[in-house]
Amino acid sequence: GRPHEIIATFVSQCGGEPHFRYSTDRNLLEGVRHVNPPSMQTRFYHASDMCGSPANVTSAIYFRDMGCIYSVVVSYLQPSVMYYYQIGFERPGARQTFGHFLSPRADPYPYQNRTRFIAYGDMGVQFEPHYWERPGASVIMDALVQDVLVQRGDAVYDVIMHIGDLSYAVGHGYLWEQWGWLMSKVAGYASYMIGVGNHEYDHVNPAPGKDKVDVSNTSGTGYHPEWGNLGNDSHGECGVPTFNRFNMPTGAVPGNSVFWYTFDRPLVRFVMLSTEHDLSNTSVQYAWLEKVLSQTNRTALPWLVVMGHRPAYSEVNAHDGDNSVSLHLREELDDTFMKYRVNLMLTGHMHSYQRSCPGFRGKCLPDGTAPVHIVVGTAGAQLEAAPKFTANFTVKGYTDYGYCRVDCNRTHMHVDWVTLDLEKPSQAPKITDSVDIPQWKE
């Protein structure tokens, strides 16, 4: 069958001959496989690749040359086995880095009948003196480490979905390194999948270069509909660090790098959208979305989970313009989600937890007849100032730090939102909200 694969990414100095060696032998003496430079993807970016300041300002605070980003496809892995690796350069005295990772489980359907994953948005790093602090980030990550390291057969959480607003670097290059170190605590044990948020991409200056096309293949200053509030929230980054630091799968229908893509796990098709790009029914992204949804085999993949940073259903108190964006996303997506029977949409952006009823055009429908929308922008960034949660489609709403655990079998999808007390970081996460989502009714 198809060999198991992961993509391993590491940052190091440019030049030389990097290597990646791995084996199930802790001492790397037996059964060692080698990946050498011809099989590696090498990326790097400069201040001049950014779309504006402060991201394109070279200084200790803003852009700093971090070297090269090496990505390697690690193949022929046995399922659910711990592997040990060595990264280094082929020259005397070069530093060697050692670590380990857990390989993915067995192949999808029909060999597996369960998928568990974790989802959240809006993290950052805990201490950020130049912008604003993300007080919950470290506590959230410590809890995630416990979740992904507790292996219980097929009950392991083997996918983490970070739905935009990753590092909140917003032009401060060193924060990408700090956040990368933070997320590496779990990235070796679960597939760490990311989406693009406003703080990764939104820009008002055109990309450099003759054609003025940014890394998402969008020309000019990006997407700025007159009804929205898509501004300069990346502070000039315009997606450059995110695009270069991450490789997302091409999936059954190739998408657009980190911006929109799809992949499958047992019983579940995941679809990541970019709400920072056009989703109207004449857009490239919408055509791709409809193709992905229409080509989903619902016998093999009974669950459709769509994600994007900005919500279509949310209570908005804190940000001017977000309500208008939410309403337009609802207009653009509701009919399509109903047509193709999407089960769940997960989003972030609002720094709170909000769960809707099965919703269509802002109204509640019976279970199993419309998608449930969950906002989970609670992974570290400063929480919203006490939204009222009074919309008729809102079932539950909280302002606490936490993340979603999702468990899918053939008949039901169970979602827990677990929360943490920053004053008692050693305490286990507490289940604060739960919902069972049944399959669509015929």
Side-chain angles (χ1 to χ4, degrees):
R2 179 176 175 269
H4 297 274
E5 297 179 340
I6 65 166
I7 295 177
T9 300
F10 60 98
V11 179
S12 188
Q13 65 190 76
C14 298
E17 296 288 325
H19 63 252
F20 185 95
R21 299 185 177 116
Y22 62 101
S23 172
T24 56
D25 176 16
R26 180 187 296 268
N27 297 313
L28 292 169
L29 297 176
E30 298 180 358
V32 179
R33 290 186 176 273
H34 301 257
V35 183
N36 294 314
S39 301
M40 291 186 182
Q41 177 193 73
T42 303
R43 287 179 172 177
F44 51 85
Y45 56 91
H46 303 294
S48 59
D49 297 320
M50 307 293 189
C51 295
S53 65
N56 63 1
V57 176
T58 300
S59 75
I61 295 175
Y62 302 121
F63 179 82
R64 295 194 293 181
D65 187 355
M66 76 323 176
C68 284
I69 303 162
Y70 299 98
S71 295
V72 55
V73 177
V74 184
S75 304
Y76 304 102
L77 300 173
Q78 302 173 43
S80 301
V81 171
M82 191 68 73
Y83 280 82
Y84 301 88
Y85 66 83
Q86 176 191 27
I87 301 170
F89 286 83
E90 303 286 1
R91 57 173 176 266
R95 179 181 176 183
Q96 306 293 314
T97 299
F98 297 86
H100 54 274
F101 64 89
L102 183 69
S103 62
R105 290 189 295 149
D107 288 333
Y109 176 87
Y111 306 106
Q112 296 287 332
N113 285 292
R114 190 179 190 185
T115 283
R116 300 181 89 200
F117 66 95
I118 288 169
Y120 53 80
D122 305 81
M123 179 174 274
V125 296
Q126 185 152 358
F127 300 108
E128 203 295 88
H130 301 291
Y131 201 52
W132 65 75
E133 290 189 3
R134 319 292 168 188
S138 293
V139 176
I140 290 286
M141 189 56 68
D142 288 343
L144 289 171
V145 169
Q146 296 304 310
D147 272 351
V148 301
L149 290 183
V150 177
Q151 308 297 326
R152 298 188 299 273
D154 70 345
V156 62
Y157 296 100
D158 55 359
V159 177
I160 295 175
M161 303 300 312
H162 190 157
I163 315 166
D165 283 6
L166 311 176
S167 69
Y168 284 91
V170 290
H172 300 79
Y174 72 96
L175 288 177
W176 278 108
E177 311 307 326
Q178 291 188 3
W179 179 76
W181 174 84
L182 186 69
M183 59 84 71
S184 70
K185 293 181 178 182
V186 294
Y189 302 97
S191 299
Y192 203 98
M193 318 300 288
I194 61 102
V196 172
N198 54 308
H199 288 294
E200 281 78 53
Y201 176 75
D202 290 9
H203 60 100
V204 295
N205 295 316
K210 185 177 180 180
D211 57 5
K212 307 298 182 185
V213 173
D214 67 31
V215 291
S216 71
N217 203 32
T218 301
S219 60
T221 60
Y223 182 53
H224 298 283
E226 61 181 8
W227 42 260
N229 62 346
L230 287 76
N232 188 34
D233 291 346
S234 79
H235 291 215
E237 287 190 358
C238 60
V240 171
T242 310
F243 172 81
N244 284 284
R245 288 172 178 267
F246 289 93
N247 287 276
M248 293 296 109
T250 54
V253 181
N256 183 7
S257 183
V258 296
F259 299 98
W260 53 88
Y261 61 90
T262 182
F263 69 98
D264 300 338
R265 290 300 295 153
L267 306 178
V268 184
R269 170 156 288 180
F270 293 91
V271 183
M272 180 65 77
L273 301 177
S274 172
T275 57
E276 311 313 305
H277 291 76
D278 191 358
L279 269 166
S280 65
N281 60 15
T282 59
S283 68
V284 172
Q285 184 177 194
Y286 179 85
W288 170 86
L289 170 64
E290 189 159 45
K291 188 174 183 180
V292 169
L293 298 181
S294 67
Q295 294 183 4
T296 302
N297 179 344
R298 298 305 289 271
T299 301
L301 301 165
W303 302 108
L304 270 173
V305 178
V306 178
M307 295 154 291
H309 183 61
R310 294 175 187 255
Y313 284 76
S314 72
E315 306 240 2
V316 179
N317 286 353
H319 305 292
D320 291 340
D322 278 334
N323 187 58
S324 177
V325 173
S326 182
L327 291 172
H328 276 82
L329 285 171
R330 202 178 305 170
E331 292 175 6
E332 293 167 347
L333 297 175
D334 264 7
D335 287 340
T336 304
F337 284 5
M338 290 290 282
K339 178 180 179 180
Y340 295 108
R341 299 188 170 192
V342 170
N343 304 98
L344 174 65
M345 185 171 190
L346 291 164
T347 61
H349 191 59
M350 309 312 299
H351 299 171
S352 58
Y353 172 83
Q354 304 174 33
R355 173 167 63 86
S356 81
C357 59
F360 178 61
R361 296 180 179 171
K363 297 180 179 180
C364 294
L365 298 180
D367 288 347
T369 64
V372 171
H373 293 253
I374 293 179
V375 180
V376 59
T378 54
Q382 190 71 43
L383 297 171
E384 304 288 352
K388 295 180 181 179
F389 303 121
T390 57
N392 64 335
F393 54 75
T394 300
V395 178
K396 291 290 180 68
Y398 298 93
T399 50
D400 293 289
Y401 290 105
Y403 54 91
C404 283
R405 297 170 175 162
V406 187
D407 191 345
C408 306
N409 61 29
R410 185 155 290 282
T411 60
H412 278 76
M413 174 186 291
H414 180 80
V415 183
D416 287 330
W417 181 58
V418 299
T419 58
L420 297 110
D421 185 345
L422 300 195
E423 301 299 320
K424 301 175 182 177
S426 61
Q427 288 189 354
K430 177 182 68 174
I431 296 175
T432 302
D433 184 43
S434 295
V435 61
D436 281 307
I437 301 174
Q439 286 197 17
W440 275 72
K441 296 178 181 178
E442 295 298 331

